[in-house]
């Protein structure tokens, strides 16, 4: 059985056309990112079988769900998909336990891959089981919706802006549970979001859509580091690095994170030594020097200039830099780059403020 998710979709809906040819990993979180009207929800609905189309190919980790040439189209109710929408609808006549058991009964006992106790523990909803659904907060409703989706034992989990309707406090309540699903369950996830912090925090792979066209796709770190198509998650370009907590300085309330770029000091978030940590570095928070300088910036690392490109404003330029085994972006004024006589191949020092690392 071949692993991976293969998508070949060319569909026209009135004046809108969605074109996507993708060969994606069969595990991890695939973030589908793009402006409103780019086709993100249409793509998820097609994967779920809710957007009928005769043509197209969809294979999920060895299972063929659609192949127009072979006249194969598995109907929506037979696709092993867990779908969580922006607004979770809970049956008012069932308590939380009844709602979860309803999802569980859709799967024969011998085919269940997620147990009720496991879903309840992972989403921390044991205290809600006997509650009526009408009195739940938005964050509690989404956690129950995710648990219900997991109890259908999906081969694929589709999350369509699951946090968009929540305020900041409720988002921060739910995000750790999404991270836990990512870490503990071997179920590939398509995650649609407009929120850059969610994508940077959860995604392994990025798919960028614009006006129904595929603009970019690839592993999160490598895709964010591209200068031919600078992808701005929010107000600025930047990269995401995976690392582990190597040291905690309790006196100064700092933590040292070992990353492929080198060791970086960040604000201490309370993680244990050895715990995985994902950090986001924005291009605007990276400065470049030709000689090593003593300054207030704690993180100074040797680097090599790989590429220089124009930015969105004529006064600015973007640099792609090789730092250790990773790539980092820096935004400079063109004047600064000229005064430093920067060119591809130059050896430089990059400086990253500890207070700026997210």
């Amino acid at each position: 059985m071949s692993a991976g998710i293969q998508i070949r979709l060319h569909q026209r809906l009135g004046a809108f056309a969605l074109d996507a040819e993708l060969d994606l990993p069969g595990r991890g979180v695939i973030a589908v990112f793009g402006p409103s009207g780019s086709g993100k929800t249409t793509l998820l609905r097609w994967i779920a079988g809710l957007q009928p189309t005769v043509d197209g190919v969809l294979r999920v980790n060895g299972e063929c769900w659609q192949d127009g040439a072979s006249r194969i189209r598995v109907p929506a109710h037979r696709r092993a998909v867990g779908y969580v929408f922006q607004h979770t609808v809970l049956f008012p006549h069932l308590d939380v336990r009844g709602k979860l058991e309803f999802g569980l009964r859709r799967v024969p006992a011998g085919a269940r891959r997620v147990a009720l106790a496991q879903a309840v523990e992972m989403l921390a909803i044991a205290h809600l089981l006997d509650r009526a659904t009408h009195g739940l907060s938005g964050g509690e409703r989404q956690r129950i919706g995710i648990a219900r989706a997991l109890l259908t034992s999906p081969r694929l989990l589709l999350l369509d802006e699951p946090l968009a309707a929540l305020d900041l406090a409720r988002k921060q309540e739910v995000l750790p549970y999404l991270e836990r699903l990512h870490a503990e369950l071997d179920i590939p996830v398509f995650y649609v979001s407009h929120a850059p912090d969610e994508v940077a925090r959860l995604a392994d792979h990025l798919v960028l859509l614009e006006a129904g066209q595929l603009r970019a796709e690839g592993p999160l770190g490598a895709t964010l580091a591209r200068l031919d198509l600078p992808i701005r998650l929010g107000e600025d370009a930047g990269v995401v690095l995976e690392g582990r907590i190597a040291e905690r300085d309790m006196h100064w309330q700092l933590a040292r994170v070992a990353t492929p770029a080198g060791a970086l000091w960040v604000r201490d978030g309370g993680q244990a030594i050895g715990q995985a940590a994902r950090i986001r570095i924005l291009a605007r928070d990276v400065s470049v020097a030709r000689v090593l300088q003593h300054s207030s910036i704690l993180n100074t690392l040797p680097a090599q200039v790989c590429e220089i490109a124009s930015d969105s404003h004529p006064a600015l330029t973007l640099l792609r830099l090789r730092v250790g085994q990773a790539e980092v972006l820096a935004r400079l004024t063109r004047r600064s780059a000229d005064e430093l006589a920067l060119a591809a191949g130059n050896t430089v020092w990059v400086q990253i403020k500890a207070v700026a690392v997210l």
Side-chain angles (χ1 to χ4, degrees), residues 183-264:
E184 297 184 19
L185 290 182
D186 192 21
I187 300 173
V189 177
F190 276 75
Y191 192 93
V192 166
S193 178
H194 281 98
D197 58 327
E198 295 172 28
V199 173
R201 187 165 171 176
L202 297 172
D204 302 298
H205 202 90
L206 183 64
V207 172
L208 178 64
L209 294 177
E210 186 174 23
Q213 304 299 305
L214 178 66
R215 294 295 307 279
E217 68 91 11
L220 181 69
T223 307
L224 292 180
R226 287 176 54 176
L227 289 192
D228 61 322
L229 185 66
I231 298 169
R232 289 161 175 77
L233 296 184
E235 62 183 10
D236 208 343
V239 299
V240 173
L241 301 179
E242 302 284 353
R244 292 196 175 273
I245 303 297
E247 179 184 351
R248 294 180 65 196
D249 187 328
M250 304 302 289
H251 177 72
W252 298 112
Q253 296 293 299
L254 295 169
R256 184 168 60 87
V257 182
T259 79
L264 295 170

